[in-house]
Amino acid sequence: MLATVAAAVFMSNLDLFIVNVALPGIGRSFGGSDLGSLSWVLNGYAIVFAALLVVAGRVADRSGHKPVFLAGLAVFTLASVGCALAPDVGTLVAARLVQAAGAALLMPTSLALLLATTAPEKRAGAVRAWASIGGIAAGLGPVAGGLLVEAGWRWVFIVNVPVGVAAFALGVKVLPTPGRVGAEKSPLPDLFGAALLTASIATLALGLVKAPDWGWTSAGTLGGLAVAVLLGVWFVLRSAHHAVPIVELPLLRVPAFASAAAALALFTVAFAGMLLGAVLWCQGVWGYSALRTGLAIAPGPLLVPPVALRIGPAVARFGAGRIALVGTVLFAAGILWWAAALDTGSAYASSLLPGMLLTGLGVGMTLPVLTGASAAALPPARFATGSAITSMGRQIGAVLGVAILVGVLGTPAPGHAVTAFRHGWYAVALASLLAACATVPLLRKPRPAAVKAADAAEAAEVGAA
């Protein structure tokens, strides 16, 4: 059963990283599509995933985790076929939206199914195993993407098909069917609120991506940003009065949870901008192949799992706030190194690699720690809801990170690429430093002696999810 869940979760996580590496190749295949249009291959996925995450979790509570998991796996696999066969960017983006809907059904149910057949004393280990899947996918993603793109970018999606079919066939036989006590009476969350959230994020991303073409002070850009704000306000007001909102606003009144969630969202803005920027630099400025790009990027992601899995004792000793603060600052330092050192003729070992190692160290110190801190700030009964909110915030952060980077880069004139990327690196570093500021409320003394230090270490390890 672990193999079934792991295969599905690994596939959906891997897809996030290999598509970044494939993006330039996709653009060349479709007649040199501009970066603004291509960005929706990434952003469309993240927007739909963020909006449907809570809805999918509630549907699973009502209908059962096994059928929803299998449905998500089937949708994701079939949508991967659609992505591989896409004749143009518009069709590819549409297939990615369907793929995101499948992932939204898949992810919330995967851990629940795993824990349903795990003895209580072994659940912590099961959670760590589940959480490590994302880190492994992050480490292997750039290299795997580079290898697949060498054969053609469509293989990035074709590779999902045999894995999805095998996991589905195995899942039908081995996945448990736990009871749903009272689930039939559980109401669905606010579907209209989900639509408002989707429209708000999409409009904001559109305004940022199109700003270089339309002009930052044009009516289209300002109007799009204004509409995004109005839709966002409407979403917040509706969430405040709806019986089953997409975001439970009272949770944001818990200071530690709100601080950790905000820092996570801001840090993901920086992480998404960093990852896409590194791919575009390697392939667009240095002229690297997709495989060489994957190998160049891999040292950073490969550093994340060992750091994340060993950070627990440091969290227990110094507190989550201090560790996350150092991690976000290290990440920003890596990006600022790129701003100072990267040039058309600079050497990889002295320019890109040091920044990649610093960002990898920063990610390993920040993402699991902040996720663990957000969970530890809530009572156990609210852990699932809090996790959904932080996951949604991270997806929104990923959308904004890509949109901001694309908006800053635009289409630089010949000879101005280094300057354009330098401005992009400054924007990415600023997002990480803002995340550092958001961790300040977490800067408190470590948990009292009455609470075992092992609990804090466990929260950090669980946070790797």
Side-chain angles (χ1 to χ4, degrees):
M1 198 197 72
L2 175 61
T4 302
V5 172
V9 174
F10 180 82
M11 179 177 65
S12 58
N13 276 279
L14 185 71
D15 210 57
L16 297 173
F17 294 92
I18 59 180
V19 172
N20 274 279
V21 178
L23 208 61
I26 294 172
R28 290 190 296 270
S29 175
F30 292 142
S33 300
D34 65 273
L35 183 58
S37 299
L38 291 173
S39 68
W40 291 101
V41 176
L42 302 175
N43 277 348
Y45 184 97
I47 290 170
V48 172
F49 186 89
L52 296 184
L53 189 61
V54 175
V55 176
R58 293 294 175 87
V59 169
D61 289 340
R62 291 164 58 94
S63 305
H65 293 125
K66 178 177 179 177
V68 173
F69 177 87
L70 292 175
L73 186 56
V75 169
F76 189 92
T77 304
L78 291 173
S80 296
V81 176
C83 291
L85 299 176
D88 51 51
V89 174
T91 305
L92 177 58
V93 171
R96 286 281 286 170
L97 301 183
V98 179
Q99 202 181 37
L105 294 170
L106 186 69
M107 293 302 292
T109 52
S110 59
L111 184 59
L113 285 168
L114 183 61
L115 296 180
T117 55
T118 303
E121 66 274 11
K122 295 182 179 180
R123 285 177 180 169
V127 170
R128 286 194 293 271
W130 182 86
S132 66
I133 296 170
I136 295 170
L140 296 179
V143 179
L147 286 169
L148 291 168
V149 173
E150 288 295 307
W153 67 264
R154 297 180 190 275
W155 283 97
V156 166
F157 301 105
I158 293 173
V159 72
N160 293 333
V161 178
V163 177
V165 170
F168 186 92
L170 191 60
V172 170
K173 296 181 179 181
V174 303
L175 292 178
T177 308
R180 307 188 308 275
V181 180
E184 292 80 2
K185 298 180 181 180
S186 175
L188 281 173
D190 183 12
L191 298 180
F192 183 69
L196 284 176
L197 178 63
T198 302
S200 176
I201 302 169
T203 307
L204 178 58
L206 178 65
L208 292 172
V209 166
K210 289 295 185 181
D213 298 328
W214 293 348
W216 285 95
T217 58
S218 67
T221 300
L222 295 178
L225 297 179
V227 169
V229 171
L230 290 175
L231 290 173
V233 171
W234 190 0
F235 169 75
V236 171
L237 293 176
R238 184 174 177 86
S239 297
H241 297 93
H242 197 275
V244 191
I246 297 296
V247 175
E248 294 188 16
L249 298 181
L251 293 183
L252 298 180
R253 300 192 189 106
V254 179
F257 176 79
S259 175
L264 273 170
L266 289 166
F267 187 74
T268 308
V269 172
F271 177 76
M274 177 277 295
L275 186 61
L276 179 59
V279 170
L280 295 176
W281 175 272
C282 288
Q283 296 193 39
V285 179
W286 279 352
Y288 281 9
S289 66
L291 176 58
R292 191 176 180 185
T293 297
L295 292 171
I297 293 173
L302 285 173
L303 194 59
V304 174
V307 173
L309 292 175
R310 290 171 173 79
I311 202 68
V315 174
R317 180 176 180 181
F318 299 107
R322 290 177 175 83
I323 299 300
L325 177 61
V326 173
T328 52
V329 171
L330 283 174
F331 187 95
I335 300 300
L336 292 174
W337 177 276
W338 287 350
L342 281 176
D343 205 340
T344 53
S346 57
Y348 168 78
S350 60
S351 58
L352 188 69
L353 180 59
M356 192 61 67
L357 294 176
L358 283 172
T359 57
L361 183 60
V363 172
M365 294 179 66
T366 302
L367 284 183
V369 171
L370 287 177
T371 309
S374 67
L378 299 175
R382 310 310 295 160
F383 175 73
T385 303
S387 296
I389 292 175
T390 55
S391 297
M392 183 188 304
R394 287 176 60 183
Q395 293 300 318
I396 294 172
V399 173
L400 294 180
V402 170
I404 291 170
L405 182 74
V406 172
V408 172
L409 291 181
T411 306
H416 292 79
V418 175
T419 300
F421 270 95
R422 185 171 290 121
H423 293 160
W425 301 137
Y426 289 149
V428 171
L430 176 61
S432 189
L433 292 175
L434 290 174
C437 294
T439 65
V440 170
L442 296 173
L443 296 178
R444 61 180 186 275
K445 294 181 179 179
R447 304 176 79 178
V451 180
K452 293 182 179 180
D455 291 341
E458 188 63 46
E461 292 175 328
V462 171

